[in-house]
Amino acid sequence: MTVNILAIESSCDETSASVISDGKVLNNIIATQSVHEKYGGVVPELASRAHQQHLIPVVHEAITNAGISKSELSAVGFTRGPGLMGALLVGGSFAKSFAFSLDLPLIEVNHMEAHILAHFIEDPRPSFPFICLTVSGGHTQLVLVRDYLDMEVIGETLDDAVGEAFDKTAKLLGLPYPGGPFLDRLAQEGDPKAFDFPVSSMKELNFSFSGIKTAVLYFLREKLREDAHFVENRKADICASVQHALIEMLLIKLKKAVKTFGITEVAIAGGVSANRGLRDALSVLSQRLGWNVYIPRLEYCTDNAAMIAMAAHFKYEKGIFCPLDVSPLAKMKIGIHE
Ligand code: KG4
Ligand code: ZN
């Protein structure tokens, strides 16, 4: 019998639903919330309300587009955490009621594990064990992935996530929200060596991105005092230089992880893996150092329900379900499966 799983993602500001059939993702419907644009960042309460508005149409579209009826579903997967509590509550409550009303098993998914499992949506798929650099708006982690559900964080940021560093720099430069992709685009026209920004290095495989944020702020203040048009005139160079420093910080630790574990199977995941500079730098490294590098298609880098569906599929195969009274987790560790 075909196994059809409906999955829902609502951890931040994308409302998404996807149907996966026997491990093959059939669709990935995403409603992006534009309501946050004028605030220059995600407003949690507005995100929850927008999820409420978008969820039913998005789920309806995913099921219709898959060409199945609700009675043909085998399970419902949803993001339990980490993420914004209100946003998780909306998606989670819907998933529970939906599963309960159709008498279907429920599968909780860790959003950060799902970012990694997005690599199994399509070829080429990494082989185990591999090292994944997971870079998003809320997290920066180096993960040793031994199996679909066997993962261990071997390094992480001690303060800000790298996505935050991109977004905060973009905000200082007056770029629209979310700033990462805009900074990326401008960086492609700039000189990465134009300005020097500090490349901080923490102990072992950990990262820190709070220092560069302050460095950019002071740098801009000083330059603007000398020339009021500095940002306008040098925007692309500033973007390219900050991006260069951020990518350096990521790659130093990634290289160290590869060396420490002797694993050259390397993947990147999460919203920041959409970054052109990072993707290009990794391709160069892979050729120079003989790594096998896996970079997801753009659609599967940023938040989406297809990755949640993929993660739910692996849990379904192992018969790992959760009770209806499971509560969302704003913070959630990876690699723990009771
Ligand atoms: O994984 P994601 O979609 O959501 C979270 O789970 O946080 O990641 C969002 C982050 C934001 O900080 C966004 O600015 C960043 O990913 N991002 C990028 C790019 N595309 C998205 N950062 C740099 N360059 C990009 N092209
Ligand atoms: Zn994410």
Side-chain angles (χ1 to χ4, degrees):
M1 210 180 85
T2 313
V3 175
N4 296 314
I5 304 173
L6 167 76
I8 290 159
E9 154 64 27
S10 73
S11 66
C12 191
D13 59 344
E14 321 277 358
T15 315
S16 182
S18 168
V19 173
I20 188 168
S21 185
D22 282 340
K24 187 174 180 302
V25 168
L26 298 187
N27 53 44
N28 184 31
I29 314 296
I30 304 174
T32 303
Q33 305 179 355
S34 52
V35 62
H36 308 288
E37 274 162 21
K38 63 173 179 279
Y39 301 99
V42 179
V43 183
E45 183 51 31
L46 295 181
S48 311
R49 291 186 211 170
H51 282 306
Q52 279 179 328
Q53 284 165 2
H54 293 158
L55 202 47
I56 291 175
V58 161
V59 166
H60 179 73
E61 193 178 337
I63 295 174
T64 320
N65 173 290
I68 57 165
S69 67
K70 281 185 277 194
S71 62
E72 288 173 277
L73 286 170
S74 320
V76 180
F78 72 101
T79 306
R80 182 179 181 194
L84 301 171
M85 185 47 95
L88 293 167
L89 268 167
V90 175
S93 308
F94 179 87
K96 287 179 198 176
S97 338
F98 195 79
F100 181 64
S101 67
L102 294 168
D103 200 18
L104 294 172
L106 192 62
I107 303 172
E108 52 144 321
V109 170
N110 180 313
H111 180 90
M112 299 313 293
E113 289 182 17
H115 267 303
I116 297 172
L117 295 173
H119 281 283
F120 296 92
I121 295 174
E122 55 192 9
D123 284 336
R125 294 163 159 85
S127 46
F128 299 115
F130 66 92
I131 289 170
C132 189
L133 172 68
T134 316
V135 278
S136 72
H139 292 78
T140 304
Q141 297 179 327
L142 275 164
V143 183
L144 174 59
V145 188
R146 295 191 195 90
D147 206 339
Y148 301 116
L149 302 176
D150 183 2
M151 306 181 184
E152 185 189 340
V153 176
I154 51 173
E156 63 191 326
T157 180
L158 302 179
D159 41 54
D160 291 356
V162 65
E164 265 175 282
F166 269 102
D167 294 343
K168 284 175 181 166
T169 303
K171 202 169 177 180
L172 287 174
L173 296 174
L175 300 177
Y177 154 86
F182 290 95
L183 194 150
D184 183 7
R185 228 166 291 148
L186 274 169
Q188 286 168 43
E189 297 155 24
D191 174 8
K193 299 260 163 67
F195 307 108
D196 266 340
F197 290 102
V199 174
S200 65
S201 185
M202 305 310 282
K203 275 197 187 139
E204 291 148 4
L205 294 172
N206 295 322
F207 305 88
S208 166
F209 294 100
S210 65
I212 189 163
K213 179 183 67 188
T214 318
V216 174
L217 178 71
Y218 288 158
F219 167 83
L220 292 178
R221 258 193 215 161
E222 196 187 310
K223 293 288 185 187
L224 282 168
R225 218 175 290 140
E226 294 162 13
D227 170 12
H229 301 289
F230 176 75
V231 169
E232 266 157 76
N233 293 339
R234 306 295 301 274
K235 213 177 254 182
D237 285 342
I238 303 167
C239 289
S241 301
V242 174
Q243 178 167 302
H244 177 73
L246 291 172
I247 294 174
E248 264 306 294
M249 284 189 242
L250 293 173
L251 295 183
I252 287 171
K253 296 298 175 165
L254 184 56
K255 281 189 235 172
K256 191 168 177 182
V258 166
K259 212 165 158 196
T260 308
F261 290 88
I263 295 171
T264 52
E265 199 75 359
V266 175
I268 52 167
V272 181
S273 60
N275 183 267
R276 192 72 263 161
L278 179 61
R279 294 165 88 93
D280 290 348
L282 269 172
S283 307
V284 171
L285 267 188
S286 74
Q287 281 175 11
R288 207 175 69 208
L289 302 176
W291 299 356
N292 290 327
V293 170
Y294 301 86
I295 303 174
R297 188 144 51 99
L298 286 179
E299 182 184 354
Y300 301 133
C301 287
T302 43
D303 290 348
N304 66 87
M307 67 184 196
I308 306 299
M310 203 68 237
H313 162 80
F314 292 124
K315 283 193 157 182
Y316 186 96
E317 280 194 323
K318 288 213 169 329
I320 305 176
F321 304 108
C322 70
L324 281 168
D325 63 357
V326 70
S327 46
L329 294 170
K331 290 192 173 169
M332 189 175 178
K333 286 205 159 68
I334 73 167
I336 299 170
H337 303 281
E338 291 104 31

